[in-house]
Amino acid sequence: MDKKTILVVEDEIVIAMDLQATLIDLGHEVPEIITSGEAAVQKALELRPDLVLMDIHLSGAMDGITAAAAITEALDIPVIYLTAYADEDTLKRASFTAPFGYILKPFEARELRANIDIAFYKHSLEKTIKEHRQWLLAVLNSISEGVAASDTSGLIKFMNPVAEALTGWTQTDAVGRSPAEVFRFLDEVTRNLIDSPLLKSLHENHTVYLPENALLLSRQGREIPVADSAAPVYNDQGHLEGAVMVMRDSTEQRYMEAQLEHNALHDALTGLPNRALFLDRLQQAIDRSRRSPEFGFAVMLLDLDRFKSINDTLGHLVGDQLLVAIAPRLQTHLRNIDTVARLGGDEFAVLLEDVTDVAVACRTAERILEDLAPSFMIGNHDLLITASIGIVLSSIPYEQTTDLLRDADIAMYRAKARGRGDYELFDLAMHSQARKLMEREHALHHAIAHDELVVHYQPIVSLATHEVTSLEALVRWQKPDEPLIYPDEFITLAEEMGLITTLDQWVIREACQQLQAWQQLGAGAWVLADSHLARRANSTEPAPTLSINVNLSSNHFAQKNLVETFASILQDTGLSGHHLKLEITESVFIKNAKEAAAMLKQLKQLNVQICLDDFGTGYSSFSYLHQFPIDIVKIDRSFIQDIGTDAEKLAIVRAIVGLCHTLGMAVTAEGIETPQQRDILQDLGCEYGQGYLFAKATDGATITQSLRM
Ligand code: C2E
Ligand code: CA
Ligand code: CA
């Protein structure tokens, strides 16, 4: 051992001298012998010895323990106590000063030497540990990651300043608390709390990572995107000591990642999805349609006409600006689920999801072409641009995006070849079919605007008296020089086009006027003779009220001013509400039961009657019957047809008639074609009948004629 300076504090001078001599023998330096506590403190500060040998019992005011405490407080040097005897209390007090050893007097040289060696060894070890700890703290305090540690019971014992800043907790407040309280992590998407990684790593005994989309919820309620991991810590015996957690604010990183992803998948010029993203979504759509056949989609490939000449004559800058201006126009009529992409150059593509109907795809293409029609102001250039569109539907089973796009391309070139500013379907058969439908749409518009619709009337008779009680107004479409078109071919279309309310109101007005005109022809009950209407003028009984039945599409019930419209029709035509029966179907109640009920109530105030049409075909929930103010139930033709041959149908009709009567409603049977059917229904107590047995629907003029005969 190299030479050390040792301060000897001992008031028994003989022992002190002995110590000094022994220490010098051992190769150390003993600069002075001190005999009091006060002097010991002073000398230690002055000389800064390597070690102090301190007698516990000093004769002065300050004893050895107090002196040692003062010295170690100021200087980092080991102290060894000397004592001849010591009571428990003294030893306990001494132990608080963390001495490096005790030497009993009288001492032995060997013992002294061993004690001093151990003291120096322990001291240097402690110093190293202290240095390491300081170094570690400096590192922890200066790194940009948040670090926290817990003990084995899972309670926080350390937090660095970054962890403090992120959580909003100070270390002082956090120490001793559970990490679940201080480090609260949320899943960004589900908003659920995530198990504390620190506790989890402790319990599961391995490293735990936070999920990628984790947020740290600070004490003040701030949400910070973080990346985090926690790992258990072991001592050198391999025993668990606690866990340590490292976390990092990942706001920037997530933003960058999102940005990078966006850039990789979007067109820099227009901001639209690029080819890569489009192909990805298209592939997903293809896969989905193969998995679930009810899912369909359409792809439109759109190429601008004559874009190259704009580029060539006005320059690329104008061309680019035009492309930028086109992007939002393409999106005008698309839904959120659809994708518009720029594939490159002046080529765009649209993916329409959840589309199975060609007509929908064609309509969308038409709208896009219309949206592109108004001119674009680019700088001081007023530019007109058209596009050609090729359409492919998923009804052709594609497996690969390239095949599908190739066909869309073919269709697009056909559209271009036929004349620009048009669209074309790849499947030609489909194309002619779709064109027909489109034409029909245009034609229906035209029909309503140009009076091509006519109303035919079918009598409804009392099964008991055979008198005509009502006439159902049934619309037909009469194109000039063409056969009549029946409603089954255009009512659904009119509904889809939003034309049905206009159509129905036209029919109601027409029918009301017609009835009004017939009433003016004179009184008397109407009867049927060989399917011809006639008047039983000589009857003594008063003529029953003849009324008109009109069909109301359930779409009406979405309209606010329905009741006002009916009131004004009645007023304009001068017909009383008693003569009008509105036929509705159960779908009215399904779509919007509450509002429908309220509307029916209001309608009833106009004295009109409500018929429930096609009963038995739909939901046929009997619960509707008493929930809504229904006057007459019309049993659907499908039940009447088989009533003579099918016992089950007969039973159902009997039940319906019975129930309706219990509820105070009358029953009309639709589609009676044979006398047998009529007789059965009459036996069942059914009030009214309608069907070819009595008469088919005919136009108003024919009816007027037969009444005059
Ligand atoms: P609906 O209300 O059930 O009308 C009865 C349909 O059955 C009529 O067909 C009628 O001609 C037919 N029919 C009547 N008796 C018999 C029979 O004995 N045997 C057979 N096989 N058929 C018979 P139409 O005129 O073709 O009307 C079809 C449907 O179109 C109607 O069914 C109704 O739902 C709808 N519709 C007709 N006109 C209008 C209208 O002005 N507005 C609305 N919204 N729908 C209408
Ligand atoms: Ca009807
Ligand atoms: Ca019906």
Side-chain angles (χ1 to χ4, degrees):
M1 167 160 300
D2 39 326
K3 188 172 177 174
K4 302 278 184 189
T5 308
I6 298 176
L7 199 64
V8 175
V9 186
E10 173 59 73
D11 58 355
E12 282 172 70
I13 202 71
V14 181
I15 297 175
M17 301 286 284
D18 194 7
L19 272 170
Q20 187 178 36
T22 314
L23 290 169
I24 290 170
D25 261 4
L26 291 172
H28 298 299
E29 195 184 326
V30 184
E32 223 172 311
I33 290 174
I34 317 291
T35 53
S36 77
E38 293 85 349
V41 176
Q42 196 196 334
K43 267 288 168 222
L45 289 174
E46 183 186 312
L47 295 173
R48 296 179 175 264
D50 297 310
L51 180 93
V52 177
L53 281 176
M54 176 74 77
D55 184 12
I56 288 185
H57 301 284
L58 292 170
S59 50
M62 186 187 273
D63 74 349
I65 293 172
T66 317
I71 291 168
T72 49
E73 166 123 13
L75 301 170
D76 182 21
I77 47 174
V79 172
I80 297 175
Y81 286 121
L82 295 164
T83 177
Y85 70 94
D87 53 275
E88 278 295 310
D89 266 6
T90 313
L91 283 179
K92 205 169 168 193
R93 212 155 60 81
S95 75
F96 281 121
T97 62
F100 281 76
Y102 293 92
I103 293 171
L104 287 178
K105 294 186 282 188
F107 69 92
E108 261 182 55
R110 265 196 346 196
E111 193 192 347
L112 180 65
R113 181 191 175 151
N115 250 296
I116 289 173
D117 286 353
I118 291 169
F120 278 127
Y121 178 69
K122 258 175 74 183
H123 185 247
S124 81
L125 214 60
E126 253 181 27
K127 216 168 137 185
T128 320
I129 291 172
K130 229 181 260 171
E131 274 165 12
H132 278 173
R133 176 171 297 148
Q134 264 154 12
W135 188 79
L136 197 68
L137 262 178
V139 170
L140 288 175
N141 289 348
S142 62
I143 59 171
S144 58
E145 266 96 2
V147 179
S150 78
D151 58 20
T152 41
S153 63
L155 299 177
I156 293 171
K157 63 175 191 189
F158 169 80
M159 261 171 88
N160 76 347
V162 176
E164 288 182 319
L166 284 173
T167 57
W169 283 82
T170 62
Q171 174 169 257
T172 329
D173 280 358
V175 164
R177 289 179 194 263
S178 163
E181 183 184 0
V182 177
F183 301 95
R184 283 183 298 160
F185 296 108
L186 284 183
D187 184 306
E188 192 175 15
V189 183
T190 64
R191 310 288 305 168
N192 291 334
L193 275 176
I194 299 170
D195 289 343
S196 163
L198 205 54
L199 294 177
K200 208 170 165 199
S201 76
L202 207 55
H203 294 149
E204 297 177 0
N205 221 340
H206 59 73
T207 307
V208 171
Y209 296 91
L210 269 188
E212 258 168 34
N213 54 353
L215 296 174
L216 172 72
L217 197 61
S218 84
R219 197 177 190 178
Q220 292 74 24
R222 207 156 63 90
E223 292 177 3
I224 309 150
V226 285
D228 168 299
S229 68
V233 177
Y234 307 95
N235 64 16
D236 54 0
Q237 267 100 55
H239 295 308
L240 193 64
E241 287 260 283
V244 62
M245 174 171 81
V246 179
M247 61 181 178
R248 184 163 44 78
D249 182 340
S250 61
T251 312
E252 192 100 330
Q253 185 194 339
R254 281 195 211 170
Y255 175 77
M256 298 280 281
E257 279 169 5
Q259 198 65 29
L260 274 175
E261 191 180 292
H262 181 92
N263 291 349
L265 298 175
H266 290 79
D267 167 40
L269 183 64
T270 60
L272 291 177
N274 64 11
R275 179 181 284 269
L277 180 53
F278 185 80
L279 290 180
D280 185 57
R281 297 217 177 135
L282 181 55
Q283 189 63 57
Q284 282 178 27
I286 290 176
D287 295 346
R288 191 170 154 205
S289 73
R290 291 177 65 198
R291 277 196 314 270
S292 38
E294 71 282 356
F295 171 80
F297 64 90
V299 171
M300 294 195 262
L301 204 66
L302 181 146
D303 193 275
L304 301 181
D305 302 323
R306 284 184 280 266
F307 180 73
K308 194 173 172 302
S309 75
I310 290 178
N311 244 348
D312 290 347
T313 54
L314 302 176
H316 287 280
L317 206 62
V318 172
D320 281 358
Q321 283 176 296
L322 180 61
L323 291 174
V324 172
I326 282 171
R329 289 227 198 148
L330 294 178
Q331 290 161 302
T332 322
H333 280 101
L334 297 181
R335 305 155 303 167
N336 288 340
I337 55 167
D338 300 327
T339 304
V340 189
R342 180 171 172 235
L343 299 189
D346 60 344
E347 199 178 46
F348 296 86
V350 181
L351 172 64
L352 300 175
E353 299 211 28
D354 235 338
V355 165
T356 43
D357 189 351
V358 249
V360 173
C362 293
R363 234 175 267 151
T364 310
E366 278 191 1
R367 291 229 180 95
I368 287 178
L369 294 175
E370 280 168 22
D371 291 335
L372 288 177
S375 66
F376 290 86
M377 264 320 268
I378 307 291
N380 48 6
H381 304 285
D382 203 1
L383 301 176
L384 283 172
I385 189 100
T386 58
S388 300
I389 300 178
I391 306 175
V392 170
L393 264 99
S394 60
S395 47
I396 303 175
Y398 289 98
E399 286 186 18
Q400 292 195 329
T401 55
T402 42
D403 296 342
L404 190 150
L405 285 180
R406 179 204 57 219
D407 287 354
D409 211 43
I410 292 171
M412 192 270 293
Y413 275 102
R414 279 208 300 255
K416 257 199 209 300
R418 223 203 10 246
R420 288 141 198 267
D422 204 352
Y423 65 91
E424 178 87 67
L425 278 149
F426 174 70
D427 184 337
L428 284 176
M430 206 182 248
H431 191 253
S432 66
Q433 183 194 333
R435 283 273 151 160
K436 249 189 218 145
L437 199 68
M438 291 277 128
E439 278 163 21
R440 183 150 279 195
E441 274 194 20
H442 292 304
L444 188 57
H445 253 297
H446 180 87
I448 293 171
H450 295 85
D451 272 354
E452 284 179 8
L453 298 180
V454 287
V455 183
H456 282 195
Y457 300 89
Q458 185 181 31
I460 297 170
V461 302
S462 154
L463 291 180
T465 66
H466 293 191
E467 278 170 353
V468 177
T469 58
S470 191
L471 295 151
E472 179 171 2
L474 296 161
V475 69
R476 275 96 183 84
W477 182 1
Q478 177 71 76
K479 286 203 232 182
D481 308 319
E482 273 187 48
L484 265 191
I485 305 174
Y486 284 83
D488 286 341
E489 282 190 62
F490 61 88
I491 291 292
T492 319
L493 185 63
E495 280 176 343
E496 277 173 11
M497 291 173 66
L499 284 174
I500 191 68
T501 49
T502 319
L503 185 150
D504 279 354
Q505 280 164 21
W506 179 85
V507 172
I508 293 168
R509 195 174 281 274
E510 184 73 17
C512 288
Q513 272 164 2
Q514 180 60 265
L515 184 63
Q516 191 63 318
W518 282 330
Q519 282 179 342
Q520 261 140 41
L521 282 179
W526 292 22
V527 287
L528 280 159
D530 298 335
S531 291
H532 286 293
L533 272 162
R535 198 187 306 277
R536 191 159 63 197
N538 53 358
S539 165
T540 47
E541 286 172 43
T545 355
L546 186 63
S547 60
I548 213 93
N549 280 39
V550 291
N551 293 284
L552 258 197
S553 158
S554 59
N555 289 21
H556 285 268
F557 288 81
Q559 291 203 320
K560 285 240 145 48
N561 54 354
L562 180 70
V563 182
E564 287 86 338
T565 310
F566 280 86
S568 79
I569 292 176
L570 288 174
Q571 189 165 24
D572 294 350
T573 55
L575 196 78
S576 147
H578 294 287
H579 297 281
L580 184 60
K581 293 193 172 82
L582 299 177
E583 297 196 358
I584 57 172
T585 58
E586 285 170 293
S587 61
V588 165
F589 311 133
I590 302 300
K591 281 185 192 163
N592 208 339
K594 251 203 194 135
E595 281 178 22
M599 242 173 208
L600 288 181
K601 233 186 190 159
Q602 285 180 287
L603 283 173
K604 296 240 32 172
Q605 284 169 1
L606 301 174
N607 295 321
V608 302
Q609 288 189 295
I610 308 294
C611 304
L612 190 59
D613 204 357
D614 301 341
F615 190 79
T617 56
Y619 319 89
S620 302
S621 166
F622 289 107
S623 62
Y624 294 128
L625 290 181
H626 65 89
Q627 274 177 35
F628 298 92
I630 294 156
D631 301 287
I632 300 171
V633 170
K634 294 184 80 171
I635 302 178
D636 192 69
R637 195 169 72 221
S638 54
F639 290 91
I640 308 306
Q641 245 167 13
D642 305 331
I643 202 169
T645 50
D646 186 336
E648 205 178 318
K649 289 265 168 67
L650 176 64
I652 294 173
V653 174
R654 177 180 285 125
I656 295 176
V657 174
L659 183 77
C660 288
H661 287 170
T662 313
L663 294 171
M665 300 167 185
V667 182
T668 304
E670 288 186 331
I672 302 179
E673 293 182 355
T674 66
Q676 187 206 12
Q677 291 164 353
R678 178 198 58 204
D679 295 343
I680 294 173
L681 287 158
Q682 198 183 343
D683 283 349
L684 289 178
C686 179
E687 282 85 354
Y688 308 106
Q690 177 181 6
Y692 294 167
L693 175 70
F694 307 109
K696 289 194 171 177
T698 43
D699 61 286
T702 311
I703 293 176
T704 309
Q705 270 242 294
S706 64
L707 285 175
R708 283 215 172 99
M709 282 198 306

